[in-house]
Amino acid sequence: MLALDCDYRVELGGTIRKQSFAHLLLLAGGALVTLIFTLSRVHPVFVRQAPVVDAILQHDYVDSAVRAPWLTSSTEVALRTPEFLADRERFMRDLLRTGKVNEARAWRLADVAVSEAYRRRLPPALVLGVMLTENDELNSSARSRVGAVGLMQVHGRSWRSALGRMFGTNLRNDTTNLRYGVYILSYMARRATAKTVADTTIEDSFASDSSWRTALLHYNGCVRGTNTRGCQSYPVTVQRNVIENAKTTCNGMDFEACVARPLWLSTRSEH
């Protein structure tokens, strides 16, 4: 084994120069940092050609806390992490597995959905579960009998005036629709947590369970259950879609670890 403080000789142009091995290690380290930064900034097509996220996430030092930078870091920092690239690629793979989209569209949807999930501090798997519950055909032009539109079935009459300046008003556009849907989902999750936190008698583990259910009921508009028959089952349907269709996104975690607990931690930290 070489000692770190040893010298070795490099012959250049017929002359002998002595260089520090430690110095060379510093140069190599700088090159590695540059490489990692570059990988974090490239377009998804390069990830598709060489899925670096697989190699990154195989290391033992990547623990559950690091896997959720949207929960532990600012948005600006979280969106620059290798874990964001990993979450985006996993989301894309789950979309592709539905057979409803081609690879190019799967990448586009994953890029917007996971970016927005990170910005709104939501588990990406929850966004996928809601999307597939609302619109399992992933049809941008889908319209419900009550007028909800697009991938996330957003009711324009209720939300355009509030969110139109932020995201635009064309709810048949996938990007716009996803931004509306993720924002509304985040808003409902925070309302549900605020209500739960106000009841100090509820134990923490039960609170996390009831909070995500309440958030999903409100997203669906199921308050009294008078408009849509059987809407009380909506949270269970979303949960089933996460379990069955977000397997890659959850990366081996159950629903509690993938969605319920991190959502509770995210929304509770604000109260």
Side-chain angles (χ1 to χ4, degrees), residues 51-196:
V52 294
V53 295
D54 291 341
I56 292 170
L57 295 175
Q58 285 173 0
H59 289 287
D60 292 337
Y61 59 76
V62 183
D63 58 23
S64 59
V66 179
R67 289 178 191 274
W70 59 267
L71 182 60
T72 60
S73 305
S74 68
T75 300
E76 182 178 341
V77 171
L79 289 173
R80 294 178 179 176
T81 60
E83 290 76 21
F84 167 71
L85 296 180
D87 281 341
R88 183 174 60 183
E89 183 170 344
R90 290 192 187 108
F91 199 102
M92 182 279 298
R93 291 177 182 176
D94 281 329
L95 282 174
L96 202 57
R97 195 158 47 86
T98 66
K100 304 297 183 181
V101 293
N102 59 29
E103 187 173 356
R105 188 173 182 226
W107 270 117
R108 289 195 299 270
L109 295 182
D111 188 53
V112 177
V114 178
S115 296
E116 291 303 307
Y118 267 52
R119 287 189 179 93
R120 306 302 168 192
R121 293 171 58 84
L122 293 177
L126 179 62
V127 175
L128 182 60
V130 170
M131 187 194 308
L132 292 176
T133 301
E134 293 289 345
N135 190 341
D136 60 356
E137 292 293 321
L138 299 175
N139 181 357
S140 305
S141 300
R143 184 182 181 89
S144 73
R145 64 180 182 81
V146 296
V149 176
L151 293 174
M152 301 288 281
Q153 289 292 282
V154 176
H155 197 277
R157 188 182 303 172
S158 302
W159 292 100
R160 273 199 187 97
S161 60
L163 302 180
R165 290 187 178 181
M166 294 172 62
F167 305 131
T169 58
N170 182 9
L171 291 175
R172 286 185 171 81
N173 176 275
D174 288 341
T175 297
T176 302
N177 196 281
L178 280 167
R179 286 175 174 167
Y180 269 74
V182 176
Y183 184 97
I184 295 165
L185 186 58
S186 173
Y187 173 74
M188 295 304 179
R190 278 150 182 74
R191 280 186 60 186
T193 296
K195 185 176 185 303
T196 303

